[in-house]
Structures are given as structure tokens and as C-alpha cells.
Amino acid sequence: MFEGLSSRFEGILRKVRGRGRLGPEDVEEFLAEIRVALLEADVHLDVVRTLLDRIRDRAVGVEVAGALNPGQIIVKIVLEELTAVLGGETFRPAYASKPPTVVLLAGLQGSGKTTTAAKLARWYKGQGRNPMLIGADLLRPAAVEQLRTLGDRINVPVFSDSTDPVSVARAGLAEAVRLGRDVAICDTAGRLAIDEDLMAEVAEISDTLQPHHTFLVVDAMTGQDAVTTAEAFHTRLGLDALIITKLDGDARGGAALSITEVVGRPIAFASTGETVEDFEPFHPDRLAGRILGMGDVETLIEKAEETFAVEEAEAAAARMLEGTFTLDDFLEQLRALRKMGSINSIMGMVPGMASQVRDLDEALDERRIDRIEGIINSMTPSERLGPDVIDGSRRARIAAGSGTEVGEINQLVKQFREMRKMMKQMGGRGPGRSKAGRARKKKGRGGRVTTAGPAPIDKKKGLSLPGLGDLPGDRGPSSGDLDLTGIWPSD
Amino acid sequence: MGLRSSLGRARDAWSTHLASVRVAGVVDDRTWEGLTEALLLADIGLPTTEALIDGVRYRVGSEGVDDVEGVLGLLKEGILGRLGGADRSLAFGGEPSVWLFVGVNGVGKTTTIGKLGWREASAGRSVVFAAGDTFRAAAADQLEVWADRAGATMVRGAEGADPGSVVFDAVEHAAARGADLVLADTAGRVHTRGNLMDELAKVRRVADKGAGTVTETLLVIDATTGQNGLLQAREFAAAADVTGIVLTKLDGSARGGIVVAVHEDLGIPVKLVGVGEDRDDLLAFDPADFVDALFSVDVPA
């Protein structure tokens, strides 16, 4: 269950291999697998249907050209269609000419509005703004306390009182003006789309605030009901965009795609973890890959760029992908990864790694990193370079030197080997990654990072898709360049 | 308030699919397509949906059923068969008994404890709440409000305290006072986070260590949850030995069909359903009501 699209295609590919053109029956076989993948990803049934129609139109009769095998061509078409839905219209934060810029958050209970309010405030701070939070959720016990605690943590003022939500919104806005804050973010109580009274209330809050941006906060784990709910909120509030939360799990997030298709509003931000740093502008191409179970190399690279110096990021990513690092690197990576925020949100982005996050996650526990540091520091340089030389007596020496147990040394070496193996597998899919990163950077950083236009396909090496590197191709295994820029259309 | 009246309000695509099946009257390919789509829209998931439809098609053939209502009846039987036969009672047996609540973020663990605490206190039991969610800001404050509403005693630690020790203290506190029941909250956690799942397993062990006995570990699942619910249930079951499901937010337009797959796959029964935010909005799970509600079609007003 929940296998990626590429692995779903393997059986069909064996059959159509070597054929120059895909017939309608071949395409239907692919479409059946795409349908299963989309439904498992919680894409809404009606959206699945329209997507399959569009993909069918483009796929039937497609010629198998150059180095691309039919599976790659179809995955490319599917990705392009999904990306077209997700990135059809992008969200651009605008600022009111007469501050404050007012932002209203709404959504179901438990979708993550309060946490998102704080994350959004932190993001605005990062943009050089002075946000303020307004706590208008007077329904859930202690929701305002939660917002105040989070506000303290990010050093953003929080306004609330115990009158009623509409009055709180009004007074909060006045307070933002008085304090000269240039962004006011209003948190609201969770409500069901079919709760007439509460929907009327949030509409009144909206009338009062006249928000510049209204965001619907949507849980990535939502199923088919997402569309019904989003339509109801859109009718009442006129949504500008979505914020998708809990993307740090293994939910594919098809509900978010469905909402963008049906409601016609883009996803502005994605929340990828529990800490306030785990929040970033949304990238359509990434969710497309995720829905198809294809990992997210782009985000990994970019997160690294944010935290490291740029050169360091290039080297680190390249070494990770090549799998040539040593135990010293391993320790450095652990520390660096920890700096990037939630380890899980990072590891989940690496193709094929989401399922292995558990082991790594354990390895990346804070206290364990301290112990690992002790162990590695007790090794000789040659042991660090090639841990295969570590035998029983060396293990005993290292354990004594670091104040740990022999079993821990074994475990570390084992984990290191596994990590190296995983990285190598990834690297096999894309040692050319750093080149693409460099090309993109030349186009200038800052703001939304979008990909460059289609890159020329290296005829000899072929075009390798993320997660598809091990597919049988017409010209042998496609272990050539991982050149994502050629796959994702620019928006 | 019955489950059905809480559920029947939604007017959505799901109802439209089912209505079209019913209006057609005769059983043909469109019937099967319509029923398949209706089940998928209820989040029952593709594998379970296909198995259900195949089973009904087989019976329709062998039993000569030729009307849509008859087919619907067989389909309901099929779902009930997958949900049936389970013990849905909540077990006592410790001094005190400990019921632990687990689940991903935002599903309604704290609210469920509040409502269940009220129910058990109303039944004459002395109840202690353990504020084991020491991670989310103000989670303990939220639980404290519910403790006041329910008439329960509250044991809490500092924010960021070890959740295991908070739960342990609560159990000891309950034992010392001869309380019957400890309802232990835990922080919401995404099931893919290994270290947090290990922490949960530890809380489960520690809760059993002292005077009390964990007699229920209840996984709270939100009715809006899609196919990811099955993965959640697997991981939580592996980490904390889940004994039952609480299906929350069933008063909305979502049907909560994923619990059918969860029950079938893992044999974990739904024990309670949440249908609102008031203290009385918690019901025992009745499979027949649930299945009827799955197939209730609301006529637009």
C-alpha cells in the first residue's frame, strides 16, 4: 500500500519496453495505476476524474522519444498536470498601502490554526515586518493562552480579551494600529463548515476586519471531505489561499491539490513540523512529487541553503548524494541537520527515505548526538575514515575512551553504514544535483525560488526522474543526471 | 442526540452519488460505479471499497437480488460484517484503571478526555486527569478547564516536563486517594516520528508501573482523516498497544469511513464517537447507526 507511482509502473513498463508508441490500452493500464495512486493520496474523486481525462488526452499516441522510456514520459505528463493545478495561480503576499495588512485564518477544529498563526507571524518578522497576533478563538479552552505562549516565544505581541470574537477582532485591529504594527494576524476558533452559527460568526469577523488575506488552514491528512469544507469556507469568506499543515507526516496531501483545483485558490504556505521554524512558502512542484510518492529533493537542497553558507550547502548536499562521507562528516551532518529544524521534515523529503525515518530519527535524538560525538572523538583518524577496521579490541578502547558501551559503538557503525548506503542509493539517482542548484542560484535568490525553464536533455545520459532512477529504460539503467529543472515547468 | 441526527446534515457530493444510485432503481453498471464512488467519498479507501463491492456483486448474483434497495442492504451488511462482533466496552480492572489517549495533532484528544471524564464522573466514579501533553503550549490549561467542567481532579507538570513522570504522578495521586480512573492525555504526534513514538511507548509502560493498570489505550482519529488514518493506526498500535478507536468530529460533513479499513486491517474496534464540543457530545459507537449514517442521504432543504 502507498507505493510511489514509479514503482506502480514497473510491471507495465516491462511489458511496453522497446515499443515506439503507446497505444490506448497501454495508456489505460497506466491510468488505472495513476487512479489508484491519486485516490490513496486522498485526491478528491471528481478531481481524479478530470485529471485522468487530461492525462489521457496527452498520453495516447505519445511517441517514445530519445532516452525517455514510456513510464518516464507518463510520469512527466502526470507531474506537469498536477503542477499545473497546484501552481496555476501562485500566492504573492501583498502589503496594504495603509498598514496594517490584515490576515484572517480560518478552518476546521484541529487543523492547526493557532500554531500556524504563530508560524506566519514569525515568517512576517523574517520579511522585516512587525506583526501582531489577535486571539479570537474564545471557544476552545486555553486557545488564547496557547497563542500568548507562542507569541512570547517568537516575541510578537498578542491581543485578546474575553468579550466575543467579533469584538476581539475589532479591538485587536485598533490595537495593531495604535501600536504601529504593520501586519495583524487573526486566529479564529475551529468550526465545521456545516455549523451555521459559527460560519455566520466568522463571516462577521471577516466583515469587521476586511482582511487583505484570508487563509484556510488545511490538515494534510484530510480525506475526501476537504473539498466540501473548503467550498463552504470559500463561499462565506472568499478565500485567498490555503495553508497546508502537518506535512511532516507521511500523508500525501492530495486533499490540498483537490481544493486548489475545485476552489481555484493556491496554497501559500506549508507547515512541516511542530516548531515555529517548520514553515515555508509553498512550492507546487514539490507537492506534485509527493502525491505521486516521489520525494522532494528540491526542498532538501533549499533548506540546507537557508541554514548553511551557500558553498557549504553545495558541498554537503553533493557529499550526501555521493555517499562518500566519513564518520567525521556523519557527525557534522548530524549537527548541521539538527540546525535545519525538524530532522524528520528533512528526511521525509528524500526519495525513498520517508519509510526509514524512524531509525534515523532515533539516531538524531539530541542526547544521542552528544554520545555519538564522544564515540567519534575517541576514534583514531583512520577509524573515522574507514570504520571497517574497527575490531573487538578497538571497540573496547573506543567504548572506554568515550564512556559508552561496546554495543553503542556497534550500533553507530551500523547506522552509519546504513545511512551511507541510503545516500549512495540517492546519489545513484542524482550526482548532478549540485550543478542544477548552481544554475538556479545564478538566477538570483530571495523570494520564491522557482525552477528554471526546461533544460536541454543530455541525449547520452538521458533524463532521469526523481525516484525513477532504477527503472528499466530503453538505453539501460538511467543513472544519469538528476536534472529536475527539465521536469518542472516554471510557473 | 442520536448519531444519525448528528450526521445527516451534510449535503455533499457523497449524497449526490448515492441519490443517483437510488433514483436509477435498476441494478446496472452505473449502480456499482455509483456505490463505489460513494464509498470512496466516505474515505473507506480503495482496497476495502473494492473488496466490499466484489462481495456484494457476488451475493447479488447468487441470491438473485435485483433492486437497488436490496443491493444497498447487502452492502450495509458487508460493512457491518467488517465492523461487527467486537467488544466495545471500556475496561476497568486497575486500582486505579488508566485510560491513555493517543493520536496525531489536532484530532481531539484533550476534548475527548474532558467529555469522557464528565461521563464517568456523572456515573459516580472519581476521575483524575493526567496532563501528559507537556509539549503543546497551554495544553494543560485546556485540560484544566475540562477538569473543572467534568468534576475531575487534575495532575499536571511543568511545560516541557517528562510526560511519563506526569502520568506516573497522576496514577500515584489517584491511587493514594482511592480514585477509580485516570484519564491520561498525551501530546499529539505525527506517527512517522520514531523518537516521539518511542516516548509514547515509554509513557504507556510507565503508566503501568505503579499502582495503576492501563486497561485502555484509545487512539483518537478525526472523521475528516483520509487514507493516512490507516498508517496512523498501524504505528500507534505498534507503539502503544491500542485497544480502541475514538472517532471524533463526526458531526461534520465527513463520514469517517477510514475506521472500517482500520478495524478490518488491525482488528481495533471503534468504541466512542465525538459529535460536538459540549460535554455530552460523546456517544458509544453503534455500528448499525454508523452504517445507516454512512448511507443516509440528506434531501436539500
Side-chain angles (χ1 to χ4, degrees):
Chain A
M1 203 178 179
F2 301 130
E3 45 180 340
L5 192 60
S6 43
S7 54
R8 290 191 175 284
F9 279 2
E10 276 170 25
I12 312 174
L13 276 172
R14 251 171 254 131
K15 223 179 64 187
V16 300
R17 196 174 182 179
R19 238 182 276 167
R21 184 187 286 267
L22 292 182
E25 319 80 55
D26 302 324
V27 171
E28 288 309 318
E29 269 195 67
F30 281 115
L31 288 175
E33 292 300 329
I34 296 166
R35 176 173 176 268
V36 175
L38 294 177
L39 285 172
E40 280 186 351
D42 293 315
V43 177
H44 191 273
L45 197 55
D46 295 339
V47 177
V48 171
R49 200 176 294 119
T50 55
L51 277 171
L52 289 182
D53 287 345
R54 278 184 235 157
I55 295 162
R56 182 183 290 109
D57 285 348
R58 288 183 56 188
V60 172
V62 83
E63 290 193 28
V64 181
L68 292 184
N69 71 39
Q72 288 171 328
I73 293 172
I74 292 192
V75 170
K76 185 170 179 287
I77 292 170
V78 177
L79 273 173
E80 281 172 1
E81 289 298 332
L82 296 190
T83 311
V85 173
L86 290 164
E89 185 199 335
T90 51
F91 174 79
R92 287 173 212 295
Y95 296 97
S97 52
K98 188 168 168 280
T101 302
V102 181
V103 177
L104 178 63
L105 299 180
L108 296 178
Q109 291 92 342
S111 54
K113 288 173 297 303
T114 306
T115 308
T116 297
K119 289 178 173 186
L120 190 59
R122 182 184 172 275
W123 182 82
Y124 274 115
K125 269 187 91 170
Q127 304 293 304
R129 303 280 159 172
N130 294 302
M132 193 183 94
L133 289 159
I134 303 171
D137 179 358
L138 305 182
L139 206 58
R140 178 164 60 92
V144 173
E145 282 84 337
Q146 184 185 353
L147 193 65
R148 286 194 196 283
T149 307
L150 293 170
D152 283 349
R153 225 173 263 174
I154 56 172
N155 205 12
V156 168
V158 177
F159 176 88
S160 189
D161 62 41
S162 54
T163 50
D164 66 89
V166 178
S167 306
V168 168
R170 187 181 299 117
L173 184 54
E175 183 69 2
V177 173
R178 192 181 70 82
L179 293 174
R181 310 300 292 191
D182 54 11
V183 177
I185 301 165
C186 183
D187 182 27
T188 62
R191 62 202 75 223
L192 295 166
I194 56 170
D195 188 325
E196 257 317 302
D197 295 346
L198 285 181
M199 289 303 280
E201 181 203 85
V202 74
E204 208 185 327
I205 293 174
S206 176
D207 287 346
T208 304
L209 287 177
Q210 296 290 323
H212 301 90
H213 297 312
T214 300
F215 294 123
L216 181 70
V217 181
V218 180
D219 182 335
M221 300 171 187
T222 315
Q224 298 283 322
D225 185 59
V227 165
T228 315
T229 297
E231 280 182 315
F233 275 93
H234 188 46
T235 305
R236 278 301 177 99
L237 301 177
L239 301 176
D240 293 295
L242 314 175
I243 296 177
I244 181 167
T245 61
K246 304 179 206 172
L247 261 179
D248 48 330
D250 51 3
R252 294 268 165 91
L257 172 122
S258 306
I259 297 173
T260 47
E261 166 78 5
V262 172
V263 176
R265 289 291 181 268
I267 302 168
F269 295 95
S271 175
T272 56
E274 289 183 327
T275 62
V276 281
E277 298 85 36
D278 297 325
F279 188 74
E280 56 193 26
F282 177 75
H283 301 266
D285 42 0
R286 296 175 189 168
L287 187 65
R290 182 186 177 109
I291 287 171
L292 301 177
M294 294 168 70
D296 196 347
V297 177
E298 288 271 354
T299 310
L300 174 69
I301 299 300
E302 203 169 286
K303 273 258 176 185
E305 282 174 359
E306 266 180 24
T307 311
F308 304 159
V310 172
E311 298 84 346
E312 222 183 316
E314 295 241 327
R319 274 201 300 204
M320 275 173 78
L321 290 170
E322 281 160 18
T324 55
F325 56 81
T326 63
L327 271 167
D328 273 332
D329 287 333
F330 180 66
L331 181 59
E332 201 178 293
Q333 295 294 331
L334 290 182
R335 291 191 192 129
L337 281 169
R338 200 164 50 169
K339 267 198 290 181
M340 283 199 265
S342 157
I343 292 302
N344 258 284
S345 65
I346 302 287
M347 286 307 169
M349 291 165 195
V350 178
M353 260 174 112
S355 59
Q356 299 172 60
V357 159
R358 270 196 78 131
D359 298 338
L360 272 167
D361 194 68
E362 192 182 283
L364 296 168
D365 178 82
E366 300 266 332
R367 277 155 313 192
R368 291 210 46 200
I369 291 179
D370 292 341
R371 296 180 76 83
I372 288 171
E373 186 167 1
I375 292 172
I376 295 177
N377 284 339
S378 299
M379 290 181 181
T380 66
S382 67
E383 286 165 350
R384 290 181 209 180
L385 282 171
D388 293 340
V389 302
I390 300 174
D391 56 14
S393 69
R394 284 176 188 260
R395 266 196 294 275
R397 193 205 76 238
I398 296 165
S402 56
T404 56
E405 306 288 328
V406 168
E408 287 181 70
I409 318 284
N410 285 333
Q411 204 184 348
L412 170 65
V413 171
K414 193 171 146 247
Q415 270 167 346
F416 168 72
R417 283 207 191 104
E418 272 166 18
M419 187 165 175
R420 191 170 54 178
K421 206 172 87 196
M422 271 190 274
M423 296 299 182
K424 223 171 206 162
Q425 281 164 357
M426 278 173 53
R429 289 168 188 167
R433 177 58 252 180
S434 58
K435 204 164 59 189
R438 204 172 294 128
R440 196 184 57 219
K441 225 166 289 121
K442 271 192 205 130
K443 288 187 160 284
R445 285 168 35 86
R448 286 187 76 267
V449 177
T450 48
T451 51
I457 294 165
D458 184 331
K459 284 263 172 3
K460 213 155 64 187
K461 283 184 175 167
L463 173 64
S464 164
L465 291 157
L468 278 182
D470 50 356
L471 286 180
D474 289 334
R475 305 193 177 176
S478 51
S479 58
D481 272 3
L482 175 74
D483 192 349
L484 292 167
T485 51
I487 298 157
W488 320 113
S490 52
D491 49 348
Chain B
M1 186 168 64
L3 181 57
R4 186 163 182 165
S5 63
S6 315
L7 294 179
R9 283 182 262 151
R11 202 182 98 196
D12 54 18
W14 196 92
S15 308
T16 316
H17 280 271
L18 200 58
S20 67
V21 170
R22 281 193 152 139
V23 166
V26 290
V27 179
D28 56 17
D29 280 352
R30 274 172 307 172
T31 313
W32 299 114
E33 200 181 312
L35 288 175
T36 301
E37 296 191 344
L39 294 176
L40 289 175
L41 285 169
D43 289 317
I44 282 178
L46 198 57
T48 307
T49 293
E50 286 179 342
L52 280 166
I53 295 287
D54 287 350
V56 174
R57 284 190 93 138
Y58 177 79
R59 285 188 66 185
V60 163
S62 64
E63 294 169 28
V65 176
D66 61 359
D67 65 302
V68 167
E69 289 305 318
V71 170
L72 265 178
L74 290 180
L75 188 52
K76 283 185 187 180
E77 275 180 37
I79 300 172
L80 271 176
R82 275 153 212 267
L83 288 173
D87 178 7
R88 300 179 197 283
S89 64
L90 296 171
F92 291 91
E95 287 179 2
S97 301
V98 181
W99 296 351
L100 188 66
F101 293 78
V102 303
V104 299
N105 316 63
V107 287
K109 289 176 292 301
T110 308
T111 306
T112 298
I113 290 175
K115 292 189 281 192
L116 190 58
W118 162 246
R119 192 185 89 174
E120 294 301 321
S122 302
R125 298 195 173 92
S126 59
V127 181
V128 173
F129 285 178
D133 180 356
T134 54
F135 179 81
R136 180 165 58 95
D141 296 336
Q142 184 183 351
L143 191 64
E144 188 132 33
V145 172
W146 274 107
D148 287 344
R149 284 181 192 171
T153 315
M154 170 90 178
V155 174
R156 61 187 291 177
E159 204 170 288
D162 174 52
S165 66
V166 173
V167 172
F168 185 84
D169 288 350
V171 174
E172 293 304 301
H173 173 93
R177 300 186 175 215
D180 304 299
L181 184 61
V182 175
L183 302 184
D185 199 7
T186 60
R189 65 200 73 220
V190 174
H191 53 283
T192 49
R193 300 203 45 188
N195 58 343
L196 292 182
M197 295 307 278
D198 292 345
E199 177 196 271
L200 190 65
K202 190 183 143 206
V203 171
R204 168 80 179 71
R205 283 195 303 275
V206 168
D208 245 349
K209 227 172 199 167
T213 308
V214 177
T215 54
E216 293 287 345
T217 302
L218 297 169
L219 172 65
V220 183
I221 292 183
D222 177 333
T224 62
T225 308
Q227 298 314 296
N228 195 246
L230 194 51
L231 303 181
Q232 291 171 24
R234 273 184 207 155
E235 295 301 323
F236 278 100
D241 198 10
V242 172
T243 57
I245 306 283
V246 182
L247 184 59
T248 58
K249 306 182 200 172
L250 210 46
D251 49 331
S253 45
R255 306 271 168 166
I258 190 63
V259 297
V260 178
V262 170
H263 189 157
E264 188 175 23
D265 196 51
L266 300 166
I268 303 172
V270 183
K271 295 194 169 180
L272 299 166
V273 294
V275 292
E277 289 180 285
D278 291 332
R279 60 189 182 183
D280 292 317
D281 291 334
L282 187 74
L283 306 171
F285 178 75
D286 179 333
D289 272 2
F290 174 77
V291 173
D292 278 345
L294 270 181
F295 289 96
S296 68
V297 175
D298 212 37
V299 179

